[in-house]
Amino acid sequence: MSGTQHVMVIGGGANAEHEVSLGSAAAVREALAASGRTVTGLAIRRDGEWETLSGERISLAAAIQRMRESDVVFPALHGEGTEDGTFAGLLEIVGVPYVGSGVRAGALAMDKWAAKLIATELGIATAQGVLIDGEQVCGDPAGLPFPVMVKPVASGSSYGATRVDSSAELTAAIEHARTFDDRVLIETFVVGREVDIAVLRGADGTLHISQPLEIGKDADAVFDTALKYDAEPDFVVPAPLTAEEGEAMRTAARALFVALGCDGVARVDFFIQGAEIVFNEINTMPGMTQLSQVPRMFAVDGVSFPELVAWLVEGALARRTRTS
Ligand SMILES: Nc1ncnc2c1ncn2[C@@H]1O[C@H](COP(=O)(O)OP(=O)(O)O)[C@@H](O)[C@H]1O
Ligand SMILES: [Mg+2]
């Protein structure tokens, strides 16, 4: 496509990842402008209202009108109420091509419990887990030895996620996770390396698998909000993996991307525990700044950040052609 494409980038969102999404949106706008496209932006405020880049409040109807006037929308939105299929649903109704996964993939991927069940069915190992929904429990909590990880079923950026070493701390951790989602997941704590990989669907439908990226941290530490955002995280890319580990991870990531029906790019996060690849979670709109994981994974293969973002936009436009 020519350089006259008009791309609308959306950031923010009424959830815990508001700031992270604003960061992604700003980086995506800059990258798209660098590749000669016409770029505009809108943001969803913390209260769910819409605003322009200059901070002027506009109505949802006006926001929809602006999206309709663009060739393609790039929702650089992370977390609940956006990345979970909600925003894709709005864009389907608006009828404009958009970057990233559709409603079903976004919803399934955001639900850590559902994603776990699908992974298990595909023969991909996951940490043993139990779902807590109010008084209701799915699974056997007695079968989970400490330490465990307690986390909201649908959140992100490590918000609400706590390592729990004894039963005395469990209730407080569950209550904390509940402030992010009514449904809470308790998992055995996996001691091991944390290695992530990305899958991207190109304009012709081909799946491209990135280099793996390892998060530099202690094997029994949590990659928490402080490690993620207070300083530049320590990423090793390509992660030093054996041929078998690399192959197992690529195969599992591809299978999950396909099973969930993802589009655009998804980051699939694993632990390596002993010789085993253990699936943790999948993100359908991963962080999108130049220093974020996915851009760094592709950068080592020579794909610059502006090229990656342009690739996603072309994929979104081609999907409309492929599916209509
Ligand atoms: N079962 C687990 N065992 C060990 N560490 C875990 C487990 N689940 C999550 N973590 C740690 O917590 C971090 C955040 O959890 P994650 O499930 O990735 O949620 P988020 O969507 O908030 O990133 C992970 O990057 C990892 O460091
Ligand atoms: Mg994570």
Side-chain angles (χ1 to χ4, degrees), residues 14-38:
N15 65 32
E17 293 183 272
H18 178 87
E19 286 298 330
V20 183
S21 303
L22 288 180
S24 289
V28 166
R29 285 199 310 273
E30 196 183 318
L32 287 168
S35 62
R37 290 167 170 86
T38 302

Side-chain angles (χ1 to χ4, degrees), residues 74-215:
F74 195 128
L77 294 164
H78 312 301
E80 217 202 334
T82 57
E83 184 184 355
D84 60 2
T86 307
F87 204 77
L90 174 66
L91 293 169
E92 291 289 344
I93 290 169
V94 171
V96 62
Y98 58 94
V99 171
S101 284
V103 174
R104 175 181 46 200
L108 287 171
M110 192 73 192
D111 188 312
K112 291 188 167 83
W113 177 249
K116 239 172 137 58
L117 299 180
I118 291 167
T120 304
E121 190 62 29
L122 292 170
I124 300 164
T126 73
Q128 193 191 339
V130 164
L131 176 77
I132 313 269
D133 184 353
E135 301 289 294
Q136 308 301 319
V137 178
C138 274
D140 175 18
L144 288 185
F146 289 99
V148 293
M149 196 69 201
V150 175
K151 55 194 191 185
V153 165
S155 187
S157 296
S158 299
Y159 292 115
T162 321
R163 175 186 158 129
V164 173
D165 288 284
S166 72
S167 57
E169 308 159 31
L170 192 58
T171 308
I174 294 173
E175 284 314 313
H176 178 54
R178 270 207 186 112
T179 61
F180 294 87
D181 189 359
D182 293 340
R183 296 160 79 231
V184 174
L185 190 53
I186 306 179
E187 287 181 339
T188 45
F189 191 90
V190 181
V191 176
R193 299 165 66 189
E194 235 175 293
V195 181
D196 303 341
I197 197 163
V199 183
L200 183 150
R201 194 187 290 279
D204 63 357
T206 307
L207 298 187
H208 300 265
I209 317 272
S210 75
Q211 294 288 338
L213 174 151
E214 178 159 13
I215 292 155

Side-chain angles (χ1 to χ4, degrees), residues 248-314:
M249 199 170 283
R250 284 190 292 274
T251 303
R254 182 193 295 268
L256 283 159
F257 189 97
V258 172
L260 270 58
C262 295
D263 221 308
V265 68
R267 198 189 75 226
V268 194
D269 299 351
F270 296 92
F271 302 107
I272 303 182
Q273 190 181 36
E276 196 172 36
I277 302 293
V278 179
F279 166 69
N280 180 35
E281 64 149 345
I282 176 165
N283 298 277
T284 52
M285 184 49 74
M288 273 295 157
T289 72
Q290 192 131 14
L291 295 176
S292 304
Q293 293 193 44
V294 168
R296 294 203 41 193
M297 291 168 182
F298 283 99
V300 286
D301 279 335
V303 182
S304 71
F305 183 54
E307 283 167 345
L308 173 67
V309 171
W311 203 4
L312 291 169
V313 166
E314 296 306 330

